[in-house]
């Protein structure tokens, strides 16, 4: 099913409700192997429902249909010196606005700008009851009604099929620079650099700590861990930021292109887990992540010290035994472990559900009473 | 705000006090903390919104988290509807309790922990907004959302309303600063929403709870994100000979991509009211409008941004633009803005305040439209608002004892709201729907959308006992109660 209009989309869903036919909601399909397996044979393809609906540059807001690609949005906004400051993993010419919001996906820019929940102003979706529902609006400030926008952001299409969203834009910085700072692999050295970064009088656009394997994949090979820092602002501001970074370690410029590369450098189908704790414990979280990566050939790490999150990427080919992958992933860890992608068979063992209580189950039942939208994606039927 | 006379009869006669319930609540919190005599309840018969008086049946004031939980459970056992209340400064009537139990949370005013390293704090719901910023200032931190009532309003109330404030233009509203909450659901069950110590997976229930106006339960503690104090701050005052010129300056500054910490506008009526009050800030009294612009951040590059703002103001026709020379002048400029409503309350016996939002490019035409509407209805509208967000606060002072004037004021307000909605805006930017904006909900949301909101409410509160009758019109909720199969057959 690939409906081309809102009316058709709603009809498809109402038809599925009448037939009690579970649906796998698909946009351009680039994230289909992420999160828990969905128990549905019928695909509802919504990627064709695309296009910018309203863009008034002076408002710094943009409304687009869910199938609009991030590339298309970037093209329209950059012509006016603006951007949607979201850089989730994946090829921007395939990643859609709807999928990005539905999966709550973000990238290194979250360090400064936050995640989709912080920049989505309003949504339209077709719920599992077949209703066309709008939450929020098109203006930058809005508290009218209960917040359905936050509810469907990051809900992985399990409550409704996103059809349209309004997002807040930012001005592109007039000057940008990206610097790489080598640091030693000792925990004390990492902690010193992290503290120094935190003490800066400005918040960089992005800060990523990368290990040697991730550096290799990004084309900035080096034997040690390194911070990659993205600066932005007016000319004077960026000049001062460069000066201040010097206090942390030897910094050298790398091509800003590295951020685009980072979005597509990851091996396809890799098993991915994000470890997080409070930012003050970032060095310890990084060490825990290293313990996983060390036990896996080709394992690579990158993390955001400001958010306290480390992403562990373990390449998986057809010959990998689930049991050995599981053994690598199951280190003792007292923080939060969120899996992005796993071989199908490992989900029930490692992360059976993201439904934490009666409210989560109640929300699902209220918006998708027949359990037809991406059933299983939060582990709710297991 | 002053001199409000009851416009709605108190309803305590219709809801006789349940003496047994009052006694059971007193057993939990002590006799002194339960009020049920009409005379005692008078102070709790309104919130910050003038023009409504609704008397609760009982007002109960627990002093500890355990007492709150025990009270909520007692109310659940009794099947008693209740209204959570912080400091009662809300401007939408959200904390009005019409013959039901009022649950006051202002005594839960302890800051439970401050983690300066991670810039988070855990607070009880009754902590006053500005008290939190004061408590963390020694660490070079502050709590960014700063409603004008911040000297009195509570974090719990801010969470309920998803409160904003001038500095939300750059720093975001309450939603962007709440990390996690512990909540007593209306049935008395205690749940944790969000993850204070790492990432969150599953549904964003923190996002759902913030701004739920007391309909989803009672926050027992709130983990908030703190903001680092900027290295430098520049506060500018620009004055204009016309409102239109000021509005064009706002649109130009926003369109330039600069992100001021705050961008506030006041018109002639507001300026004169402020200057005639004890909050006189030195605004030029012959100006048609002033803009208060604040830029903050690292020193490097800041003055280049100041120069850009000055240029946009002058290009739009500013007569004068001055930069506050020191902290004292800065404080004075802000004091005038933050106390503007209070200053206007001195002039009129009654005041209606709106909270509409329009796209920022529509500000000039919308302010002209507001002016036309006011003239047509022969009422005086004052504007003091968060121009950078497009968040208008047109307010009209009047005498509620004059039925003709009252009718004209309310007709003008309805027309202003409709004009904002027609311009692609919304009916409330930061005050909440409460009861005051209920009639407008149908203007921006379809029945299907309102039904979905009811459905979400019923997940948290199936008995609809928490803040009944607020936010979503009840007829929408009845729709939702039909069997799903019956509804899906409709178009």
């Amino acid at each position: 099913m690939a409906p081309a209009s809102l009316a058709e989309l709603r009809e498809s869903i109402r038809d599925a409700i009448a037939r009690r036919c579970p649906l796998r909601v698909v946009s351009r399909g680039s994230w289909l192997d992420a999160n828990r397996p969905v128990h549905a044979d019928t695909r509802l393809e919504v990627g064709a429902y695309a296009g910018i609906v309203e863009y008034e540059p002076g408002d710094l807001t943009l409304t687009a249909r869910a199938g609009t690609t991030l590339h298309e949005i970037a093209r329209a906004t950059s012509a006016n010196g603006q951007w949607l400051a979201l850089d989730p993993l994946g090829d921007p010419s395939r990643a859609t606005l709807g999928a990005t919001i539905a999966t709550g996906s973000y990238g290194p820019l979250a360090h400064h700008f936050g995640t989709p929940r912080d920049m989505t102003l309003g949504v339209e979706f077709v719920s599992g009851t077949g209703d066309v529902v709008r939450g929020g609006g098109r203006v930058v400030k809005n508290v009218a009604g209960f917040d359905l926008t936050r509810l469907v952001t990051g809900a992985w299409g399990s409550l409704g099929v996103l059809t349209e969203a309004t997002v807040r834009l930012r001005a592109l910085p007039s000057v940008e620079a990206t610097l790489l700072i080598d640091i030693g692999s000792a925990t004390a050295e990492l902690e010193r650099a992290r503290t120094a970064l935190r003490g800066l009088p400005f918040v960089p656009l992005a800060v990523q700590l990368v290990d040697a394997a991730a550096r290799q994949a990004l084309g900035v090979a080096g034997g040690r861990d390194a911070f990659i820092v993205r600066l932005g602002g007016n000319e004077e501001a960026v000049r001062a930021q460069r000066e201040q970074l010097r206090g942390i370690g030897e910094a050298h410029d790398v091509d800003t292109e590295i951020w685009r590369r980072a979005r597509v450098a990851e091996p396809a189908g890799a098993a991915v887990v994000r470890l997080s704790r409070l930012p003050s414990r970032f060095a310890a979280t990084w060490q825990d992540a290293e313990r996983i990566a060390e036990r896996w050939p080709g394992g690579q790490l990158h993390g955001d010290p400001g958010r306290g999150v480390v992403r562990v990427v373990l390449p998986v080919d057809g010959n990998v035994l689930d049991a050995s992958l599981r053994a690598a992933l199951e280190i003792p860890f007292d923080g939060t472990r969120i899996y992005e992608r796993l071989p199908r068979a490992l989900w029930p063992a490692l992360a059976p559900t993201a439904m934490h209580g009666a409210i989560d189950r109640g929300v699902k039942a209220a918006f998708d009473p027949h359990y037809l939208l991406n059933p299983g994606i939060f582990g709710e039927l297991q | 705000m002053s001199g409000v006379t009851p416009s709605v009869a108190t309803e305590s006669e219709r809801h006789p006090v349940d003496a047994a319930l009052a006694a059971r609540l007193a057993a939990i919190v002590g006799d002194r903390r339960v009020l049920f005599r009409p005379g005692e309840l008078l102070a709790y018969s309104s919130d910050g919104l003038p023009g409504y008086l609704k008397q609760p049946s009982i007002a109960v004031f627990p002093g500890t988290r355990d007492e709150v939980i025990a009270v909520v459970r007692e109310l659940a056992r009794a099947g008693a509807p209740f209204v959570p209340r912080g400091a009662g400064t809300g401007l939408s009537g959200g904390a009005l309790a019409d013959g039901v139990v009022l649950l006051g949370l202002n005594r839960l005013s302890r800051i439970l922990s401050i983690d300066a390293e991670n810039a988070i704090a855990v607070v009880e719901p009754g902590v006053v907004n500005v008290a939190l910023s004061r408590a963390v200032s020694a660490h070079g931190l502050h709590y960014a959302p700063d409603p004008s009532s911040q000297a009195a309003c509570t974090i719990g109330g801010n969470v309920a309303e998803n409160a904003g404030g001038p500095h939300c233009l750059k720093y975001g509203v309450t939603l962007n600063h709440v990390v996690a909450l512990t909540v007593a659901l209306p049935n008395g069950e205690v749940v944790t929403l969000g993850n204070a110590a790492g990432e969150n997976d599953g549904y964003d229930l923190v996002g759902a709870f913030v701004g739920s106006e007391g309909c989803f339960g009672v926050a027992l503690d709130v983990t908030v994100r703190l903001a680092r104090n900027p290295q430098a701050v520049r506060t500018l005052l620009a004055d204009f000979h016309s409102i239109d010129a000021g509005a064009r300056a706002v649109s130009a500054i926003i369109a330039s991509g600069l992100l001021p910490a705050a961008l506030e506008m006041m018109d002639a009526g507001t300026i004169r009211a402020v200057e005639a009050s004890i909050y006189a800030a030195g605004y030029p009294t012959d100006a048609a409008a002033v803009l208060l612009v604040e830029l903050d951040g690292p020193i490097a590059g800041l003055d280049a941004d100041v120069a850009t703002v000055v240029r946009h103001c002058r290009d739009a026709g500013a007569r004068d633009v001055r930069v506050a020379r020191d902290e004292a002048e800065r404080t004075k400029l802000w004091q005038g803005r933050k106390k503007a409503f209070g200053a206007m309350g001195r002039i009129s016996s009654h005041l209606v305040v709106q909270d509409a939002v329009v796209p920022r490019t529509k500000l000039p035409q919308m302010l002209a439209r507001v002016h036309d509407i006011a003239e047509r209805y022969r009422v005086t509208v004052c504007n003091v608002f968060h121009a950078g967000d497009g968040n208008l606060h047109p307010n009209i002072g009047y005498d509620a004892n004059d039925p003709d004037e009252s009718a004209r004021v309310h007709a003008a307000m309805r027309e202003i709201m409709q004009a904002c909605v027609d311009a692609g805006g919304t009916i409330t930017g930061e005050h909440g729907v409460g009861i005051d904006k209920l009639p407008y909900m149908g203007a921006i949301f379809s029945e299907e959308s309102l039904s979905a909101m009811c459905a979400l409410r019923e997940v948290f509160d199936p008995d609809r006992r928490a803040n009944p009758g607020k936010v979503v019109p009840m007829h929408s909720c009845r729709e939702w109660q039909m069997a799903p199969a019956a509804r899906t057959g409709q178009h």
Side-chain angles (χ1 to χ4, degrees):
Chain A
M1 285 191 285
S5 71
L6 180 60
E8 276 179 45
L9 182 64
R10 168 152 76 168
E11 240 9 84
S12 303
I13 291 175
R14 290 188 170 185
D15 181 57
I17 292 168
R19 294 186 295 114
R20 296 291 189 269
C21 169
L23 298 173
R24 175 47 156 144
V25 186
V26 181
S27 188
R28 303 277 164 127
S30 46
W31 273 91
L32 278 187
D33 59 349
N35 219 338
R36 293 168 187 78
V38 169
H39 315 294
D41 297 324
T42 305
R43 286 160 69 110
L44 176 62
E45 294 184 8
V46 294
Y49 191 61
I52 293 171
V53 175
E54 187 175 277
Y55 172 39
E56 178 64 62
D59 289 328
L60 281 105
T61 58
L62 177 141
T63 302
R65 293 197 181 114
T68 315
T69 63
L70 297 184
H71 176 71
E72 197 179 334
I73 290 172
R75 200 175 46 196
T77 53
S78 63
N80 293 286
Q82 300 176 357
W83 63 337
L84 171 61
L86 258 182
D87 57 348
L89 285 172
D91 177 356
S93 64
R94 289 188 71 203
T96 64
L97 180 65
T100 302
I101 293 173
T103 58
S105 297
Y106 63 87
L109 287 171
H111 182 81
H112 188 103
F113 297 101
T115 66
R117 94 189 279 271
D118 298 303
M119 52 193 93
T120 306
L121 301 170
V123 291
E124 178 192 75
F125 60 97
V126 183
S127 71
T129 57
D131 289 326
V132 175
V133 176
R134 278 180 176 274
R138 292 187 181 180
V139 286
V140 295
K141 211 168 160 193
N142 193 349
V143 295
F146 300 127
D147 196 342
L148 303 177
T149 307
R150 251 42 64 185
L151 195 70
V152 297
T153 301
W156 289 78
S158 67
L159 304 177
V161 178
L162 266 178
T163 50
E164 190 185 291
T166 300
V167 287
R168 177 198 289 266
L169 304 175
R170 305 279 183 161
L172 277 165
S174 51
V175 178
E176 263 205 57
T178 297
L179 285 91
L180 185 141
I181 305 169
D182 269 302
I183 60 156
S185 295
T187 301
E189 224 172 314
L190 166 57
E191 181 56 16
R192 186 194 59 77
R194 183 193 72 82
T195 311
L197 278 166
R198 195 184 146 275
L200 293 170
F202 66 96
V203 179
L205 301 186
V207 177
Q208 287 279 307
L209 179 63
V210 288
D211 73 349
R215 288 181 69 163
Q216 180 83 38
L218 292 173
V220 286
R224 305 194 294 171
D225 296 347
F227 275 113
I228 306 176
V229 184
R230 186 172 186 175
L231 307 177
N234 64 31
E235 211 179 316
E236 192 189 338
V238 173
R239 196 163 46 231
Q241 290 172 15
R242 280 174 173 284
E243 264 324 296
Q244 286 150 356
L245 271 187
R246 255 171 249 246
I248 293 168
E250 197 187 328
H252 62 268
D253 275 79
V254 294
D255 194 332
T256 296
E257 181 68 6
I258 195 171
W259 299 107
R260 203 194 56 75
R261 228 168 21 244
R263 293 169 80 167
V264 293
E266 205 158 289
V272 179
V273 61
R274 295 199 307 269
L275 306 182
S276 57
R277 288 194 190 102
L278 285 172
S280 59
R281 299 190 62 198
F282 181 72
T285 305
W286 183 259
Q287 259 188 319
D288 289 327
E290 278 178 331
R291 295 208 332 266
I292 298 178
E294 277 162 10
R295 293 154 75 173
W296 198 257
Q300 48 175 281
L301 306 177
H302 63 105
D304 181 338
R307 298 176 55 79
V309 181
V310 181
R311 207 161 159 275
V312 185
V313 180
L314 306 182
V316 172
D317 63 31
N319 303 321
V320 162
L321 288 175
D322 287 347
S324 58
L325 181 61
R326 180 176 175 179
L329 288 166
E330 275 193 314
I331 56 154
F333 178 67
D334 66 359
T336 301
R337 228 185 290 231
I338 296 178
Y339 291 96
E340 280 181 21
R341 194 186 290 108
L342 285 174
R344 210 179 166 89
L346 284 188
W347 280 105
L350 292 178
T353 185
M355 293 283 202
H356 302 298
I359 298 181
D360 301 82
R361 290 190 293 274
V363 166
K364 173 70 175 174
F367 285 79
D368 181 23
H370 310 295
Y371 290 83
L372 301 178
L373 300 178
N374 284 348
I377 204 152
F378 275 174
E380 69 272 18
L381 293 183
Q382 292 171 2
Chain B
M1 266 130 280
S2 60
V4 179
T5 49
S7 59
V8 181
T10 58
E11 309 206 1
S12 47
E13 292 88 350
R14 278 209 288 124
H15 302 275
V17 172
D18 183 342
L21 177 59
R24 288 200 300 276
L25 294 174
I28 298 167
V29 300
D31 288 343
R32 285 174 51 230
R33 306 299 185 182
V34 178
L35 310 178
F36 54 87
R37 293 182 192 88
E40 298 172 328
L41 291 168
L42 200 59
Y44 300 98
S45 59
S46 67
D47 60 5
L49 174 74
Y52 294 87
L53 278 187
K54 304 277 186 188
Q55 192 124 319
S57 59
I58 299 172
V60 55
F61 299 91
T64 65
R65 170 200 181 94
D66 286 346
E67 285 183 8
V68 175
I69 296 167
V71 164
V72 171
R73 287 182 180 163
E74 186 56 50
L75 295 171
R77 262 193 296 275
F82 65 95
V83 178
R85 185 185 200 264
T89 55
L91 289 169
S92 59
L96 293 174
D98 187 4
V100 300
V101 175
L102 186 143
L103 173 52
L105 295 153
N106 50 316
R107 291 179 63 216
L108 277 87
S109 58
R110 289 182 307 156
I111 295 171
L112 299 173
S113 68
I114 295 169
D115 176 352
E117 164 73 15
N118 292 301
I120 53 176
V122 184
V123 303
E124 290 187 330
V127 168
V128 169
N129 177 297
V130 81
L132 175 57
S133 280
R134 280 203 195 108
V136 299
S137 66
H139 303 288
L141 300 167
H142 67 285
Y143 180 63
D146 59 339
S148 292
S149 56
Q150 69 184 139
C153 66
T154 62
I155 300 294
N158 293 172
V159 167
E161 302 303 315
N162 190 12
H167 289 84
C168 292
L169 174 59
K170 177 172 179 177
Y171 291 95
V173 294
T174 304
L175 168 76
N176 308 105
H177 295 86
V178 176
V179 182
L181 305 127
T182 309
V183 170
L185 297 175
N187 68 5
E189 193 190 332
V190 176
V191 296
T192 302
L193 310 180
N195 179 8
E199 285 196 299
N200 199 31
D201 68 343
Y203 297 129
D204 183 0
L205 298 180
V206 171
F209 190 87
V210 174
S212 61
E213 302 199 26
C215 297
F216 290 5
V218 179
L220 299 169
D221 63 58
V222 187
T223 305
V224 295
R225 191 169 285 135
L226 303 168
R228 292 185 195 290
N229 294 346
Q231 194 178 34
V233 182
R234 300 280 185 273
T235 306
L236 292 77
L237 186 78
D239 78 86
F240 297 86
H241 54 74
S242 75
I243 291 186
D244 183 57
R248 280 186 287 113
V250 172
S251 292
I253 293 167
I254 293 298
S256 78
L258 278 184
L259 190 55
L263 178 45
E264 301 283 305
M265 186 164 165
M266 284 163 276
D267 68 4
T270 310
I271 294 166
R272 283 196 284 273
V274 168
E275 290 305 309
S277 75
I278 56 163
Y279 308 115
Y283 304 150
T285 51
D286 60 340
V290 295
L291 277 187
L292 191 57
V293 191
E294 191 153 282
L295 295 155
D296 70 8
I299 285 174
L302 191 60
D303 287 324
D305 289 349
V306 170
T308 305
V309 168
V310 171
R311 194 176 58 200
H312 284 302
C313 288
R314 293 211 190 280
D315 287 351
R319 297 187 311 183
D320 187 31
V321 187
R322 70 179 156 104
V323 182
R325 283 155 306 195
D326 51 31
E327 189 57 29
E329 187 177 358
R330 193 185 153 247
T331 305
K332 203 169 151 192
L333 289 176
W334 271 112
Q335 172 94 328
R337 164 62 188 91
K338 295 228 166 182
K339 302 292 187 186
F341 284 115
M344 282 178 294
R346 283 176 63 248
I347 297 171
S348 307
S349 58
H350 296 79
L351 195 64
V352 286
V353 183
Q354 284 304 5
D355 178 37
V357 187
V358 296
R360 277 100 49 111
T361 49
K362 300 273 171 58
L363 269 179
Q365 76 183 66
M366 191 49 54
L367 287 169
R369 190 77 201 280
V370 168
H371 180 77
D372 290 346
I373 293 169
E375 271 201 335
R376 200 147 30 80
Y377 287 98
R378 291 175 287 120
V379 296
T380 308
V381 176
C382 289
N383 287 291
V384 45
F385 62 99
H386 312 306
D389 287 319
N391 187 185
L392 299 167
H393 290 319
N395 55 81
I396 307 181
Y398 69 107
D399 177 3
N401 297 318
D402 178 342
D404 174 60
E405 189 184 15
S406 299
R408 282 184 285 115
V409 165
H410 288 106
M413 276 301 183
R414 272 195 300 277
E415 212 170 310
I416 289 171
M417 288 293 259
Q418 191 58 51
C420 292
V421 171
D422 292 345
T426 190
I427 59 171
T428 175
E430 57 183 10
H431 294 172
V433 174
I435 55 171
D436 197 47
K437 312 292 189 297
L438 261 186
Y440 301 108
M441 284 292 277
I444 52 168
F445 291 116
S446 67
E447 279 299 318
E448 282 170 299
S449 299
L450 293 172
S451 290
M453 290 179 192
C454 292
L456 178 59
R457 174 189 213 149
E458 294 196 0
V459 172
F460 285 85
D461 182 21
D463 303 331
R464 294 190 207 151
R465 286 185 303 104
N467 216 357
K470 310 281 173 62
V471 187
V472 180
M474 285 308 279
H475 60 81
S476 307
C477 297
R478 277 196 290 274
E479 286 274 319
W480 188 263
Q481 287 186 315
M482 295 166 63
R487 269 187 304 111
T488 50
Q490 294 176 343
H491 286 261

